[in-house]
Structures are given as C-alpha cells and as structure tokens.
Amino acid sequence: MIIDDILDMMDDLLDSAASVPFSVKKSIIDCDQMRDYINEIRLNLPQEIKQAKLIVRDRQSIMTDANKEADAIIRRAEDRAKVIVSNDEITKQAKLKATDIINQAQSRARELKNAANKYIDDVLVKTEECLQSNLADVRRTRQAVKTVPAQNPQQPQSMQNTQSPQSSSSQQELRFGQGGKR
C-alpha cells in the first residue's frame, strides 16, 4: 500500500468514530485498527526515509563542497586584495618619490636661476664700471681737446700745412691719448 492510501483510511476511521458523550472534540476509535495503519506506514515509510536521508546527505555534501569553494574564493580574493593594496602602496610611494624628485628639481632650477642671475648682474656691474671709466676717459679727452689751442705756437704756419697726412694722424693720436682710443 501507498502511504497516502493509508493516511486516507486513517482519516476515514476518524470521521466514522463515535463522539465521547459531553465532549465536542473527543472521539472513540478502534485502537487496533489505528495501530495497524501506523504499522503499515512504518513498513512503507523506510523507502521514502532512505530517499530523504540520501537527499540530506547529498545536500550536506553539496554544502560542504560549496563551503570549501567559497573559502577558496575568499582566500583568492584576499590574496588579490593584498596584491592590489601592495600595488596601490607601491603606486603611492612612486608618486611620493616623483613629487619629491620634482620638488628637488624645481629647487635646483631656482638655485641655478638665482646663481645665473647673480653672475649676470656681476658681469653687468663690471661692464657698467668699465663703461663709466671709458666714459670718464672720453670726457677727459674731450676736455683736453677743447683746451688745446688751434695752432701750435712752436711750429711755423708753413710747417703745419706741409705735414704729411701720416704725421697728422700721429699728432691726433697724441692729442687723444692712449694710442688712438677715441
């Protein structure tokens, strides 16, 4: 017999049972008949129980495998996270190092620019001093030229006109001083 049929017979037995006097929910049933039905269920039940136990065992096996796989996935994810964090840390350190190198380079560039500006200023100061000295020489020479008389009283007029152009230029050199600097 099938368990469903046995359960239907048990249900019919309860429906046909006589009520206990002065009680609404209590009935009188044939106990032997009920025990026979329960025994029939027990005899028919082991196959379903075996199937249920197999299902539970398979479920446990599946759960164990799933837990092992989940643990492996978690370990791989943690390892990957460590690598990513490590790479991120390396990237941060590289960025800090790059920033430090850039700052040092900019500082060095400022130092070189300041040194170049100082050198240029020193050269310009020396050039200015030299130009002022030359300007003072030019002013002295101009003053000397203004104070020299138009004619030299020691040479007669006729000699001045007969001088060669070469001797005239040597006189100019003497007048200007310093070997022809003008």
Side-chain angles (χ1 to χ4, degrees):
M1 255 197 236
I2 300 174
I3 292 178
D4 286 334
D5 294 335
I6 298 169
L7 291 173
D8 286 339
M9 290 188 295
M10 289 173 73
D11 195 33
D12 289 340
L13 180 66
L14 290 173
D15 286 340
S16 64
S19 300
V20 174
F22 306 109
S23 170
V24 178
K25 295 185 180 181
K26 295 186 180 181
S27 300
I28 299 174
I29 59 167
D30 183 2
C31 289
D32 291 333
Q33 186 66 39
M34 183 59 79
R35 279 199 176 93
D36 288 340
Y37 291 148
I38 292 173
N39 286 333
E40 283 292 322
I41 290 175
R42 284 188 181 135
L43 290 175
N44 289 310
L45 193 60
Q47 187 63 28
E48 285 87 14
I49 290 176
K50 286 179 185 175
Q51 288 177 350
K53 285 182 180 179
L54 286 174
I55 291 171
V56 169
R57 190 174 346 128
D58 287 346
R59 180 181 158 264
Q60 287 292 46
S61 175
I62 291 169
M63 290 296 290
T64 302
D65 290 346
N67 285 335
K68 285 180 184 176
E69 188 174 338
D71 289 342
I73 290 170
I74 289 170
R75 270 187 257 115
R76 285 194 306 263
E78 287 172 347
D79 291 343
R80 180 71 178 137
K82 287 177 185 176
V83 169
I84 290 171
V85 167
S86 174
N87 287 343
D88 190 43
E89 195 62 35
I90 290 170
T91 302
K92 285 179 185 177
Q93 289 176 358
K95 285 181 181 179
L96 288 174
K97 182 72 172 173
T99 302
D100 188 42
I101 290 171
I102 289 169
N103 289 340
Q104 288 177 358
Q106 289 173 341
S107 176
R108 181 72 176 135
R110 281 191 297 275
E111 290 173 7
L112 288 174
K113 185 177 178 181
N114 289 340
N117 285 342
K118 185 178 181 331
Y119 174 76
I120 290 169
D121 187 53
D122 290 345
V123 169
L124 289 175
V125 165
K126 289 178 183 175
T127 303
E128 183 180 11
E129 289 172 355
C130 184
L131 287 173
Q132 285 177 350
S133 173
N134 288 342
L135 181 61
D137 288 343
V138 167
R139 286 184 180 149
R140 279 193 300 274
T141 304
R142 278 189 67 212
Q143 191 62 34
V145 168
K146 284 183 183 179
T147 58
V148 173
Q151 284 189 345
N152 195 342
Q154 296 172 350
Q155 292 184 351
Q157 183 70 19
S158 59
M159 281 194 82
Q160 285 181 1
N161 291 338
T162 59
Q163 287 181 347
S164 68
Q166 197 173 30
S167 65
S168 170
S169 69
S170 60
Q171 280 183 345
Q172 285 178 349
E173 286 177 10
L174 287 175
R175 269 192 245 141
F176 284 28
Q178 303 202 5
K181 281 190 179 176
R182 297 183 182 188

